[in-house]
Amino acid sequence: MISTVVLYSKFMSNSNSVTQAISKRLAKRRLFYVCRDIERAVGIDLSLKNYYIITNYNGFSAKLARQYPHIILIKEKNQLDTRDLLAHKKTKSAIGKNDLVLVFKNNTLIEAECKKNNWHLLNPEAKLADKIESKTSQVEWLGKLTKYLPPYQVDICGNIKWNEEPFILQFKHSHTGSGTLFINSDKKLTDLKLKFSKREVRVADYIKGPVFTNNNVVWGDKILTGNINYQITGLSPFTDNKFATIGNDWALPHKILSKKQILQYKKIAAEIGKKLNQDGWKGLYGVDIIMNEKNGRLYLLEINARQPASTTFESQLQKLTGTFGVSTFEAHLAGLLNVAPDKYKLSKITDGAQIIQRVTKKKIKISKIKDRSIINIIKYNNASLGSDLIRWQFSKGLMKKHNVLKIL
């Protein structure tokens, strides 16, 4: 296994003109990435002048902080979320008036905290992100692009009827599978209607097949569509939730998707990016797409109006392979800092994977995964159900085929 310091030193050393352009932008103004988990912020050279990270103390962040002095750790009894990290006295003493702030996922509380302290928040407006991500308002926002969704209906929960066919029901918000329910009986639907009769929901046909995702960037007037990865979803013993995302595999899509399907995927992602650009969006967004295993048709499942969780590891893989182009995280920062996009393209990767053990109802013994391609292991101090417990990252793919892991 590559050690943490060697891993980051190796991919950080592969700098390019985009890194230099970002550095030039930050020559007179400091940027603080404030995040609960440090891996959200480590997609660029950590020795970059005026690039700071403020995050929780844990074993992984402590290792990196010993190597890079611009990492500021906050040690409390419990892990703090981003809003609490921003409000912490150590953060307020570090960030000055008019400094730049970046977070993993923006919300109105974070915006208010930054405004109160005269910090310039780089993230696009939370109101716009909420409109795009919400399963109900998203339909209106998509407009003509709703043609890419599975057949759907938006209504209050009490009006939804059981027609003897399983379907997907989603409440206004969901994240990594929470808020998404598989309805396969009249009783299950009736129980929901009794509890949430007036709550607005979106229901859609249940499509069976593999799910893919990718990280894309709105950079000035350019839309950069990223590498497609297979979304590892709902596998036991890693999670209790059938729809929870527990990892990514960049090798498997090239074994499942045809060239025609890949072009169709990129077309959908690009059209969403153009619409985001029209609304003033900058930086990263993610697209989740499912392939109907019966006929191969692709359907849009979700838009992540934010930095997707897989971004920084993808960027590390891009740097490790040394392929032509810029990393996804570099493009994200460049877009937010208004660096000219010129002719830059994202580096291509066709291998690598990560998988996450989440906290489950039944305590399980964490088995030691032995694989020569492991390049990093990250442990978390989380206890709440469904939260991250341990993350393994690999230079090679993990999946034999859809829903079948090589390591189990």
Side-chain angles (χ1 to χ4, degrees):
M1 185 178 77
I2 300 175
S3 71
T4 301
V5 171
V6 171
L7 167 64
Y8 285 92
S9 298
K10 187 174 180 181
F11 83 77
M12 297 308 175
S13 64
N14 187 4
S15 62
N16 52 37
S17 57
V18 173
T19 309
Q20 293 164 14
I22 291 170
S23 180
K24 190 175 180 180
R25 288 282 180 182
L26 297 179
K28 296 180 180 179
R29 204 169 186 184
R30 300 184 301 170
L31 169 60
F32 290 81
Y33 195 130
V34 183
C35 51
R36 176 187 172 92
D37 301 311
I38 193 170
E39 66 266 24
R40 308 304 189 211
V42 293
I44 199 166
D45 186 350
L46 296 184
S47 62
L48 187 69
K49 186 179 179 182
N50 285 344
Y51 180 69
Y52 294 79
I53 300 171
I54 298 178
T55 190
N56 288 294
Y57 177 95
N58 58 34
F60 182 55
S61 61
K63 280 183 184 179
L64 287 177
R66 286 194 289 271
Q67 178 78 0
Y68 302 101
H70 282 187
I71 297 174
I72 300 167
L73 302 181
I74 294 178
K75 193 173 185 179
E76 295 290 348
K77 185 177 180 181
N78 297 312
Q79 297 275 292
L80 302 180
D81 62 20
T82 302
R83 162 65 176 76
D84 291 333
L85 285 168
L86 284 165
H88 196 276
K89 59 183 180 182
K90 195 170 182 179
T91 301
K92 291 187 175 183
S93 66
I95 306 178
K97 185 179 179 181
N98 294 322
D99 276 333
L100 304 172
V101 171
L102 179 62
V103 298
F104 175 64
K105 182 174 171 60
N106 190 19
N107 62 40
T108 53
L109 293 175
I110 286 170
E111 287 179 338
E113 188 66 35
C114 289
K115 186 176 181 181
K116 183 173 72 175
N117 291 285
N118 293 307
W119 301 333
H120 181 76
L121 183 64
L122 285 179
N123 297 74
E125 286 187 7
K127 186 178 180 181
L128 175 59
D130 185 71
K131 183 179 182 180
I132 296 162
E133 289 202 343
S134 167
K135 297 302 177 289
T136 50
S137 61
Q138 183 186 91
V139 170
E140 181 185 352
W141 181 82
L142 278 169
K144 294 179 180 179
L145 300 184
T146 54
K147 64 184 179 182
Y148 294 126
L149 295 172
Y152 70 91
Q153 172 190 356
V154 175
D155 207 332
I156 61 170
C157 192
N159 289 342
I160 305 302
K161 296 179 180 179
W162 173 249
N163 293 319
E164 306 298 328
E165 290 288 340
F167 62 89
I168 301 298
L169 183 146
Q170 293 176 301
F171 290 103
K172 186 176 180 180
H173 293 285
S174 67
H175 176 60
T176 61
S178 61
T180 298
L181 301 169
F182 178 57
I183 307 299
N184 58 356
S185 71
D186 189 21
K187 182 182 183 307
K188 199 169 184 179
L189 177 60
T190 300
D191 289 345
L192 274 178
K193 289 165 75 170
L194 289 172
K195 292 178 183 177
F196 309 110
S197 63
K198 299 298 181 184
R199 188 176 293 187
E200 196 173 33
V201 296
R202 187 168 97 193
V203 298
D205 287 3
Y206 173 56
I207 309 294
K208 195 174 180 182
V211 177
F212 303 91
T213 185
N214 78 330
N215 304 321
N216 312 282
V217 183
V218 177
W219 185 355
D221 58 355
K222 288 185 68 173
I223 310 300
L224 302 185
T225 55
N227 300 287
I228 302 171
N229 66 78
Y230 169 83
Q231 196 175 83
I232 307 172
T233 306
L235 295 183
S236 178
F238 297 94
T239 179
D240 294 324
N241 185 344
K242 178 183 176 71
F243 297 104
T245 302
I246 56 165
N248 314 86
D249 188 305
W250 280 267
L252 194 60
H254 305 282
K255 300 173 185 176
I256 294 179
L257 296 173
S258 68
K259 288 182 180 179
K260 184 178 179 181
Q261 287 170 320
I262 289 173
L263 287 174
Q264 174 67 5
Y265 188 112
K266 297 259 184 175
K267 181 176 184 249
I268 296 170
E271 287 187 23
I272 291 167
K274 288 174 185 175
K275 186 155 183 59
L276 282 163
N277 188 29
Q278 289 169 4
D279 282 1
W281 189 265
K282 293 180 182 180
L284 272 159
Y285 69 97
V287 172
D288 294 356
I289 288 175
I290 190 168
M291 183 189 83
N292 189 324
E293 65 182 18
K294 289 182 179 179
N295 57 23
R297 183 171 174 179
L298 301 182
Y299 292 96
L300 174 65
L301 285 186
E302 191 166 335
I303 302 169
N304 294 309
R306 54 181 169 81
Q307 174 187 329
S310 61
T311 298
T312 46
F313 182 56
E314 178 184 27
S315 299
Q316 293 162 28
L317 290 172
Q318 287 168 317
K319 289 298 184 180
L320 286 169
T321 58
T323 53
F324 173 80
V326 300
S327 77
T328 308
F329 192 80
E330 286 171 340
H332 178 49
L333 284 188
L336 292 171
L337 291 167
N338 296 319
V339 171
D342 296 332
K343 295 181 180 179
Y344 295 117
K345 293 183 179 180
L346 296 178
S347 295
K348 292 183 180 179
I349 55 171
T350 57
D351 216 342
Q354 64 177 345
I355 194 163
I356 306 155
Q357 174 64 58
R358 298 193 184 277
V359 179
T360 54
K361 292 175 184 176
K362 182 181 178 182
K363 278 195 173 183
I364 65 166
K365 185 179 179 181
I366 305 295
S367 59
K368 290 185 178 180
I369 296 176
K370 294 181 180 180
D371 190 298
R372 288 185 180 181
S373 71
I374 292 180
I375 58 175
N376 209 18
I377 300 173
I378 305 168
K379 296 179 180 178
Y380 301 88
N381 301 324
N382 295 324
S384 58
L385 198 64
S387 59
D388 296 355
L389 197 59
I390 187 167
R391 181 187 300 260
W392 294 272
Q393 297 177 327
F394 305 79
S395 61
K396 301 292 182 182
L398 282 179
M399 305 300 297
K400 283 184 180 179
K401 57 183 180 179
H402 175 43
N403 279 341
V404 180
L405 281 160
K406 292 178 184 176
I407 58 174
L408 291 182

